[in-house]
Amino acid sequence: MPFFINVILPLPLDNHFTYSISEAEANFLKPGMRVAVPFGRSKVYSGIVSEVHQNDPKIYEAKPIEQILDKSPVVTAAQMEFWSWIASYYMCTEGEVLRAAIPGAFLLESETVVQLLKGVEVQDEELTDDEFVLYEALQQQSLLKINEIIQLLDKKTVLPVINSLVEKKVVAVNQEIYEQYKPKLERHVRLHEKYKDETAMHQLLDDLSRAPKQREVIFALFGMTAQGKDLIKISELTKESKASAAVIKALIDKEVLEEVKVREQRFQFEEGELAGKVALNEHQQQALQEIQTAFETQDICLLHGITSSGKTELYVELIEKAVSEGQQVLYLLPEIALTAQLITRLQNYFGEKVLIYHSKYSVNERVEVYQNVLNNHDNARIVIGVRSSIFLPFHDLGLIIVDEEHESTFKQYDPAPRYNARDAAVVLAKMNGAKVLLGSATPALESYFNAEHSKYGLVNLDRRYGNVLQPEIEIVDIKEKHRKKRMTGHFSDRLLEEIRETLSNNEQVILFQNRRGFSPILECNTCGHSPQCPNCDVSLTYHSHNNQLRCHYCGYHIALQTKCMACGSIELSTKGFGTEKVETELKALFPGHQIGRMDLDTTRGKHGYEKIISAFEEGEIDILVGTQMLTKGLDFRNVRLVGIMNADTLLNFPDFRAHERSFQLMLQVAGRAGRTKKRGLVLIQTYNPHHQIVQQVSTNNYLDMYKEQLEERRNYKYPPFYRLIRITLKGRDYSRVNEGAEWLATSLKNSFYENVLGPEFPPIARIRNEYHKNILIKIPQKQSLAKTKELVSRVLQSFKAIGAYRGVKTVINVDPY
Ligand code: ADP
Ligand code: ZN
Ligand code: ZN
């Protein structure tokens, strides 16, 4: 009897592929091991064995495999079960899931690019002959593809050679240009050596008598060092002495203070111990109790805790309990780069037990994390990760925490699998018998709905820790302000007044301007023309720092035009405003202060994000202007004022979630204000002061928002009452896309009638020269989801078989928003 294996290939294929193997191989191979197999005419891929069996595929002749790549499985049975769920729920192939699920370095294939790692030096005797040939070749030519290596070594089985070189850390495969996630450097100071001596010290204080502020700093430093510390954080010193960063800089320049950059400790050991846990206050105690009670009867619990209520401390308690029972914990975050603060906090508690799975990790770092989880290494008790960490090979998963569960970045849009990590985590937990805690100050409507209908437990925590008051929220009517001529640029007199007040108290300001709203666009005053992107249906956006007009979708850019391209007029003006404009205005309004900006443009560079955050923490920036990046769970201590420049750009976004999202965004930004004793202030500038969402934000009324939005969802047939599947057609040929979309929509309407919407062009109908058209299918609760998907797949199959629509791609997105 012949032997076969089924293999999942990292390709969008509907079925597993069958290959033939020898009896010896059949005895050795287990599901979850990698094999290198031929595919197509000359390609080699690595895939995962899903089954070892004896059933001849019959319809095609099974080819033999090329190589076995593992001695033991790298994918667990539980993972494969989960992948198969993802593929069927999100309507993609298991191959696509495989690609998202395991580190790229595991998937060597013909197109794989091999490179030498920087700075490696090897001894001849460490390498086999083949390895050495490849090593030498890579010194001549920096990149080699697998096919080229096959020619070079003159044999087909080159993957083991490459694998071995990867293991020896000589080469890297598919190395993208990722930045290493480095611990940040904290700026500290100490008194300069020469003042250790007492007389020198007295001399110094005399000298400084005419610089009282500097003297104040020195006294503060004495106070702080009296407790035995030598190095003092600049951020703490500015707070203690109430001096500005400039004063401290002057002292450093004078060599009174010496600056030392200290690598922030991964773990802050205190007398050989990890930082002790804090004691929960009574409200936290109560909430913890309630969560634990909920978990006795339910698998999922929603923690609705306002910003700064101390949710993290509750997570810590729950994590500790799970770990002490020998379980693994997954802590999901929307985007880790944005929460270095939180990682530090958790590492302080759990030290070596914490593993981080970061989107900016290099391929090799990801392999390491993956392998540590697979081998159930001690440091893999707690995994903190972004959405893709749900795919790791967990063993005894006991608890999943989804922090900021309302965040839209848990959803992957492109490429497939287009999954929502929060929803998938719920299923993952179920498969593993684990509990899920969803945490948010502004829960997603669906989550709250589930809690209200007892599908989830619900626990409220509605007091800020330390009885810090919620910030006061004030609405500023800018229509009125314009009429009364009380606006300076985009600032109302009210906002300016409070900024001044805040700065004069040495406190900080955060200003929020949404980027999704309008960005500055150049417009001709004579004919109204504004320059368009030639590849996409959007206006180019004006960037003042390099005088460019750029497309935010494809990156096309040209130099700023001095004349209208349509009529030649020189009367051009900019319309709309983004963060950059706010920053420019601020610089003119507050010349003596440091202004920082945080958006995609300023955080792109190396550690750009962390640099801005730590500059702000250390008081080197007085006013920080930013986009939604500012909303993500940051814990700044010295921010008194938060200004929302224009609430209307959020509210007017064309999407059924726009109101819910605006509410979440505004409350989250507001939560950055006044996190310590003093009460914070939030000013919301808007043209629509009576808009219900603005009102609900100002009274911090989640429940009102929830009820009202839920009613709208019910009326207009949206989640949680209806499920959605969106099909997007894409193609370069306008009429084919149009006709194809009509055909598809008509076929779908035969089964789903009025629950098919469209086809419709999205707000931006052309991107990178491809036309897009959307069809939306609404699925009532009573309708079977599985049957619906089956029908949709069948219609799509027929669509793909029609010659006239070849060249039109279809993208399916389940739960698209
Ligand atoms: P949330 O995540 O709910 O916005 P955090 O967990 O960030 O709130 O807590 C807000 C602040 O209060 C943090 O600086 C945290 O260290 C502090 N805090 C919360 N609970 C306690 C506690 N029990 N003891 C001491 N500090 C606490
Ligand atoms: Zn013109
Ligand atoms: Zn473009």
Side-chain angles (χ1 to χ4, degrees):
M1 280 287 268
F3 290 86
F4 300 96
I5 48 172
N6 287 356
V7 177
I8 310 176
L9 290 172
L11 299 170
L13 302 167
D14 285 332
N15 298 313
H16 295 187
F17 245 69
T18 305
Y19 290 89
S20 71
I21 50 172
S22 68
E23 184 168 1
E25 286 169 335
N27 288 331
F28 180 79
L29 278 171
K30 292 188 193 66
M33 287 186 183
R34 286 174 305 159
V35 285
V37 293
F39 190 81
R41 210 171 298 136
S42 64
K43 292 212 160 141
V44 177
Y45 284 93
S46 18
I48 305 287
V49 177
S50 62
E51 202 188 334
V52 184
H53 60 84
Q54 295 199 299
N55 310 318
D56 197 320
K58 302 243 163 51
I59 39 174
Y60 56 90
E61 193 187 342
K63 292 185 201 162
I65 64 171
E66 297 249 346
Q67 274 291 313
I68 296 174
L69 296 175
D70 293 309
K71 294 194 194 75
S72 58
V74 296
V75 173
T76 65
Q79 272 177 298
M80 280 201 264
E81 188 194 343
F82 181 53
W83 294 358
S84 145
W85 178 83
I86 295 261
S88 93
Y89 186 85
Y90 290 104
M91 299 183 77
C92 64
T93 68
E94 283 179 40
E96 287 167 320
V97 182
L98 170 64
R99 218 175 238 300
I102 72 177
F106 275 2
L107 294 173
L108 301 177
E109 61 195 35
S110 316
E111 301 301 311
T112 294
V113 177
V114 180
Q115 266 171 287
L116 277 191
L117 278 175
K118 271 207 200 81
V120 284
E121 276 182 44
V122 292
Q123 309 296 320
D124 294 7
E125 63 272 14
E126 286 173 12
L127 302 183
T128 65
D129 289 351
D130 278 346
E131 288 168 14
F132 195 73
V133 171
L134 181 51
Y135 170 68
E136 272 197 331
L138 282 170
Q139 287 178 324
Q140 308 296 324
Q141 189 180 343
S142 62
L143 289 178
L144 283 175
K145 289 199 170 170
I146 302 267
N147 282 333
E148 297 167 325
I149 299 173
I150 290 177
Q151 283 172 13
L152 175 75
L153 300 182
D154 194 24
K155 62 195 253 187
K156 272 205 154 175
T157 53
V158 301
L159 298 185
V161 179
I162 298 166
N163 259 338
S164 161
L165 283 175
V166 169
E167 268 163 33
K168 291 178 182 169
K169 297 201 168 23
V170 176
V171 303
V173 293
N174 284 350
Q175 182 74 32
E176 293 150 66
I177 304 139
Y178 283 101
E179 291 168 20
Q180 301 269 17
Y181 178 74
K182 289 213 192 81
K184 72 169 197 220
L185 295 176
E186 275 268 14
R187 292 177 56 208
H188 287 66
V189 286
R190 64 178 159 220
L191 199 60
H192 199 278
E193 203 66 52
K194 56 190 178 205
Y195 299 110
K196 291 275 144 93
D197 164 89
E198 252 189 54
T199 38
M201 187 67 238
H202 284 128
Q203 185 61 46
L204 173 67
L205 289 178
D206 285 348
D207 292 348
L208 288 181
S209 61
R210 260 169 294 141
K213 278 192 179 162
Q214 297 183 7
R215 219 164 97 139
E216 211 37 56
V217 172
I218 300 299
F219 282 129
L221 188 76
F222 281 160
M224 295 167 85
T225 45
Q227 291 140 24
K229 277 194 267 179
D230 176 32
L231 284 172
I232 301 293
K233 272 191 204 169
I234 293 189
S235 53
E236 284 170 7
L237 186 58
T238 45
K239 210 175 299 163
E240 187 70 25
S241 63
K242 304 202 174 49
S244 69
V247 175
I248 300 207
K249 182 163 181 301
L251 284 166
I252 295 170
D253 290 347
K254 275 197 210 166
E255 294 196 331
V256 174
L257 296 180
E258 183 187 5
E259 180 176 338
V260 183
K261 288 208 168 140
V262 181
R263 189 164 184 260
E264 176 135 8
Q265 290 287 314
R266 245 171 84 89
F267 326 115
Q268 280 162 8
F269 294 103
E270 266 169 29
E271 289 147 38
E273 293 276 319
L274 292 174
K277 271 192 328 186
V278 299
L280 299 186
N281 67 19
E282 55 179 315
H283 307 286
Q284 288 171 316
Q285 268 303 342
Q286 162 117 22
L288 181 65
Q289 198 58 54
E290 287 175 24
I291 294 169
Q292 282 165 340
T293 310
F295 278 156
E296 282 167 20
T297 54
Q298 267 166 318
D299 292 334
I300 308 158
C301 181
L302 173 64
L303 170 61
H304 179 201
I306 60 172
T307 53
S308 209
S309 56
K311 293 186 287 298
T312 319
E313 307 302 334
L314 296 187
Y315 302 152
V316 167
E317 293 282 337
L318 293 163
I319 293 171
E320 188 174 49
K321 180 158 173 291
V323 170
S324 75
E325 288 166 10
Q327 296 171 327
Q328 274 178 317
V329 177
L330 171 61
Y331 189 140
L332 276 178
L333 281 166
E335 180 50 70
I336 269 186
L338 307 186
T339 32
Q341 282 183 328
L342 180 90
I343 294 171
T344 313
R345 259 165 93 180
L346 291 179
Q347 282 183 331
N348 283 345
Y349 292 129
F350 298 110
E352 296 278 0
K353 296 195 189 99
V354 181
L355 211 57
I356 294 154
Y357 204 57
H358 191 280
S359 61
K360 284 191 176 165
Y361 271 5
S362 71
V363 177
N364 289 352
E365 284 169 304
R366 268 186 259 180
V367 170
E368 261 182 64
V369 174
Y370 188 97
Q371 228 121 28
N372 282 344
V373 179
L374 181 68
N375 300 327
N376 215 351
H377 196 282
D378 268 351
N379 70 4
R381 306 318 303 162
I382 304 161
V383 178
I384 307 179
V386 290
R387 61 174 181 244
S388 57
S389 51
I390 58 170
F391 294 118
L392 288 169
F394 299 102
H395 288 269
D396 321 290
L397 198 56
L399 174 67
I400 303 179
I401 291 169
V402 187
D403 196 5
E404 313 283 350
E405 62 88 33
H406 63 278
E407 268 292 329
S408 56
T409 51
F410 281 126
K411 168 83 182 175
Q412 165 147 322
Y413 285 95
D414 252 329
R418 299 181 170 81
Y419 63 102
N420 181 311
R422 174 198 60 210
D423 301 341
V426 166
V427 174
L428 178 69
K430 198 164 195 73
M431 289 179 172
N432 284 272
K435 303 286 181 192
V436 182
L437 182 67
L438 306 175
S440 173
T442 52
L445 232 58
E446 285 83 347
S447 301
Y448 204 83
F449 182 80
N450 283 334
E452 213 193 10
H453 290 78
S454 305
K455 261 179 88 180
Y456 300 171
L458 176 62
V459 173
N460 289 302
L461 186 56
D462 48 19
R463 253 188 243 208
R464 285 190 145 190
Y465 176 75
N467 287 326
V468 175
L469 288 173
Q470 294 254 55
E472 186 185 339
I473 302 183
E474 184 183 319
I475 302 170
V476 180
D477 179 351
I478 43 178
K479 196 194 270 167
E480 170 98 359
K481 295 286 183 191
H482 271 294
R483 203 169 49 77
K484 293 190 175 156
K485 305 239 175 319
R486 296 214 178 127
M487 293 293 288
T488 312
H490 294 94
F491 293 84
S492 61
D493 54 352
R494 197 51 204 116
L495 183 53
L496 285 177
E497 176 187 5
E498 289 299 338
I499 294 177
R500 272 186 211 111
E501 166 80 19
T502 308
L503 293 177
S504 73
N505 288 327
N506 253 318
E507 290 167 317
Q508 291 169 302
V509 180
I510 285 181
L511 296 176
F512 172 77
Q513 170 58 22
N514 183 41
R515 174 172 186 269
R516 281 167 89 191
F518 30 81
S519 309
I521 284 166
L522 203 65
E523 197 180 61
C524 170
N525 292 343
T526 310
C527 77
H529 173 81
S530 54
Q532 304 286 309
C533 174
N535 311 318
C536 313
D537 274 351
V538 290
S539 299
L540 296 173
T541 301
Y542 171 55
H543 286 243
S544 67
H545 68 100
N546 53 7
N547 265 327
Q548 269 186 354
L549 298 173
R550 281 193 87 89
C551 169
H552 281 186
Y553 289 84
C554 73
Y556 172 86
H557 54 91
I558 51 174
L560 178 66
Q561 310 290 302
T562 50
K563 280 191 209 157
C564 171
M565 291 195 277
C567 75
S569 158
I570 50 162
E571 285 193 35
L572 305 174
S573 59
T574 47
K575 201 177 73 176
F577 71 112
T579 43
E580 211 181 303
K581 182 88 198 257
V582 177
E583 184 192 17
T584 312
E585 291 185 8
L586 275 172
K587 281 187 172 150
L589 286 163
F590 300 96
H593 289 275
Q594 289 304 315
I595 321 279
R597 173 162 65 97
M598 183 155 80
D599 54 26
L600 268 184
D601 296 326
T602 59
T603 54
R604 200 169 284 142
K606 224 175 161 63
H607 311 302
Y609 180 84
E610 278 153 61
K611 267 191 217 151
I612 297 173
I613 297 286
S614 57
F616 193 58
E617 277 175 336
E618 286 171 23
E620 289 160 22
I621 293 175
D622 304 313
I623 308 176
L624 185 58
V625 187
T627 58
Q628 28 264 71
M629 282 186 173
L630 280 175
T631 59
K632 311 262 158 80
L634 293 166
D635 192 16
F636 297 122
R637 315 307 300 172
N638 197 32
V639 175
R640 173 191 167 247
L641 175 66
V642 166
I644 294 174
M645 299 301 295
N646 184 330
D648 309 290
T649 56
L650 294 169
L651 295 165
N652 297 335
F653 202 74
D655 168 339
F656 74 89
R657 269 193 212 285
H659 287 179
E660 177 191 357
R661 293 248 159 91
S662 310
F663 179 89
Q664 289 164 337
L665 214 58
M666 285 194 263
L667 261 195
Q668 295 280 352
V669 192
R672 303 310 119 213
R675 289 174 75 94
T676 43
K677 286 277 169 267
K678 195 162 161 190
R679 189 168 189 198
L681 175 66
V682 179
L683 294 181
I684 303 179
Q685 300 195 134
T686 173
Y687 285 96
N688 298 291
H690 300 294
H691 193 289
Q692 82 268 25
I693 291 287
V694 174
Q695 290 292 329
Q696 286 152 358
V697 170
S698 77
T699 52
N700 193 358
N701 199 331
Y702 178 85
L703 275 183
D704 265 10
M705 185 284 293
Y706 167 75
K707 284 188 195 131
E708 202 167 276
Q709 292 303 313
L710 202 66
E711 227 13 69
E712 304 221 332
R713 301 283 181 87
R714 197 197 307 274
N715 292 339
Y716 297 104
K717 299 189 175 179
Y718 279 108
F721 303 102
Y722 282 69
R723 289 173 181 274
L724 304 176
I725 296 178
R726 187 176 65 202
I727 302 177
T728 304
L729 294 93
K730 295 182 187 177
R732 289 177 166 256
D733 185 326
Y734 178 78
S735 52
R736 279 194 192 194
V737 171
N738 254 334
E739 287 158 26
E742 279 308 327
W743 186 96
L744 200 55
T746 309
S747 314
L748 290 166
K749 279 174 189 165
N750 283 335
S751 310
F752 304 119
Y753 311 100
E754 79 282 3
N755 284 332
V756 177
L757 302 193
E760 222 173 308
F761 285 113
I764 294 159
R766 191 174 52 120
I767 297 175
R768 292 188 197 90
N769 273 324
E770 276 191 330
Y771 294 93
H772 289 205
K773 208 154 191 186
N774 287 334
I775 298 171
L776 193 66
I777 305 166
K778 293 181 168 177
I779 308 166
Q781 269 161 341
K782 278 188 241 103
Q783 186 173 318
S784 151
L785 200 58
K787 289 221 178 82
T788 306
K789 286 177 185 167
E790 227 178 272
L791 229 148
V792 171
S793 306
R794 241 183 293 143
V795 172
L796 278 172
Q797 289 295 342
S798 323
F799 176 80
K800 282 177 191 156
I802 300 174
Y805 305 140
R806 210 166 292 148
V808 178
K809 284 175 273 181
T810 52
V811 173
I812 310 188
N813 199 331
V814 178
D815 303 339
Y817 298 97

